[in-house]
Amino acid sequence: MVPWNAAKAKVQLRLGVQRLRTLQEKKNAQAKAARRDIAYLLEKGRIETARIKTENIINEDIYVELLELLELYCELLIARFGLLDQNTREPDPGVVEGVCAIIFAAPRTELKGKPGILHVLRDILMHKYGRDFSLTVMENRDGCVSERVTRKLDIATPPTALVDAYLSEIAKGYGVPWSPPSPEGSESNKDDDDDDGPDGGVKDAVADDEKAAQGEPSAPKPLDAATISAEARSAGVRTPKLPEVPAEEEAPSRNEKLSTLKPPSADPPKKKSHEEDDFEALAKRFEALKKR
């Protein structure tokens, strides 16, 4: 192992940032060329070959994300180099995540050969914090390595939905008419619902007439008290005795209404006799007063 040297460690961190950025640019250029090849395969109808190449692109994108994380951790250690340079057997909590990520992920990157910048930096950190700490990190005991790093180092086949999404975006970007196949059984039978056939939509109208001919459920008839009580008892519900609902009387017809109406009397109402007597009496008294 390379012994701890603060100046050399800082130089290795700066060189690591530069190499990580360069490797990211290289991977992005390769991915762009691979996408162009996949669009050509889609245009020629070689779907299976395009899927295999797309899986490789997905894995390369995950690898580029790992490089971005390692670059971020190197910049973090440069910014907090004072905590890293402390004479302790375990890293400070402010830099422990970056130290663990570099020790764990450096052997799994393409920067481990000559000049091996991350590999040299990993050896410096392992020498500083000792064998026990290094073994704990390499075995990821108690989840000391960030999940963001371990998840990007997992090797697994990309799901079909993700591959289809990549293929759709590549086809859209290069103007290739392609869309992912729909799941089996999701397509409905369009021939049954098509109104442009020889019947010209008559089938739908006949079907509607048949539904109407079957008739909708008529309005429920009013139940009498005995029927309501019987149904309640059959359902296990105890109910008091209900009074009988009287049947509705039929409304009288128009002729019956007219017959019941009495025609108005043609003769005017007669005046009361006593009113006439009083008037005559007053007239006589008035004549008597005039004579006086």
Side-chain angles (χ1 to χ4, degrees):
M1 293 185 182
V2 181
W4 172 254
N5 187 320
K8 186 175 182 179
K10 200 166 188 177
V11 171
Q12 290 295 323
L13 286 170
R14 295 185 185 277
L15 291 175
V17 171
Q18 296 177 3
R19 289 296 306 275
L20 287 168
R21 288 177 183 173
T22 304
L23 187 57
Q24 290 174 45
E25 294 174 357
K26 177 183 176 181
K27 291 294 181 181
N28 290 332
Q30 293 175 353
K32 186 176 180 181
R35 284 181 172 86
R36 188 163 49 248
D37 294 340
I38 291 172
Y40 176 78
L41 293 174
L42 290 176
E43 188 177 4
K44 295 300 180 181
R46 301 172 61 183
I47 307 301
E48 294 302 323
T49 307
R51 285 183 177 277
I52 295 173
K53 288 184 174 292
T54 303
E55 291 181 3
N56 186 36
I57 285 182
I58 294 174
N59 293 328
E60 289 296 324
D61 285 349
I62 296 174
Y63 178 68
V64 170
E65 292 178 359
L66 174 64
L67 297 179
E68 292 176 355
L69 275 176
L70 293 177
E71 178 189 350
L72 177 65
Y73 286 132
C74 288
E75 291 180 346
L76 175 69
L77 294 181
I78 293 173
R80 300 177 181 178
F81 193 79
L83 299 176
L84 185 65
D85 195 24
Q86 292 178 352
N87 189 15
T88 56
R89 298 305 300 172
E90 290 186 0
D92 188 270
V95 295
V96 64
E97 184 176 351
V99 171
C100 292
I102 292 174
I103 294 176
F104 183 81
R108 298 169 175 83
T109 63
E110 296 180 9
L111 299 179
K112 60 184 178 181
K114 293 183 180 181
I117 295 174
L118 280 186
H119 189 73
V120 174
L121 179 61
R122 174 176 179 267
D123 288 344
I124 292 174
L125 295 174
M126 290 174 64
H127 184 273
K128 176 175 176 59
Y129 294 110
R131 182 174 178 273
D132 295 337
F133 176 79
S134 301
L135 289 175
T136 302
V137 174
M138 287 187 290
E139 296 175 2
N140 193 19
R141 298 174 188 171
D142 302 328
C144 58
V145 182
S146 175
E147 186 180 355
R148 295 188 298 174
V149 176
T150 57
R151 190 168 57 245
K152 289 174 175 53
L153 290 172
D154 289 339
I155 300 175
T157 303
T160 305
L162 182 60
V163 174
D164 289 340
Y166 264 71
L167 287 173
S168 298
E169 291 299 323
I170 292 172
K172 183 179 178 181
Y174 287 90
V176 178
W178 183 88
S179 60
S182 58
E184 296 181 359
S186 63
E187 294 183 355
S188 59
N189 296 329
K190 298 181 179 180
D191 296 337
D192 297 340
D193 299 335
D194 193 5
D195 294 341
D196 297 334
D199 295 334
V202 177
K203 290 183 179 180
D204 294 342
V206 173
D208 295 339
D209 293 340
E210 290 177 358
K211 292 181 181 179
Q214 294 176 0
E216 298 180 357
S218 58
K221 296 181 180 180
L223 301 176
D224 55 2
T227 306
I228 295 174
S229 299
E231 291 182 358
R233 285 194 299 273
S234 64
V237 180
R238 301 183 61 184
T239 59
K241 186 177 181 181
L242 300 176
E244 292 290 341
V245 180
E248 296 182 357
E249 297 181 357
E250 296 182 358
S253 61
R254 183 178 180 186
N255 295 332
E256 293 177 355
K257 289 182 179 180
L258 294 176
S259 63
T260 55
L261 297 176
K262 294 182 180 181
S265 176
D267 300 332
K270 296 182 179 180
K271 294 181 179 180
K272 296 180 181 181
S273 59
H274 67 274
E275 291 181 356
E276 294 178 355
D277 296 339
D278 293 341
F279 180 75
E280 291 178 358
L282 290 174
K284 289 179 181 180
R285 290 179 63 184
F286 185 69
E287 292 294 336
L289 291 174
K290 283 184 177 180
K291 290 180 182 181
R292 292 180 183 178

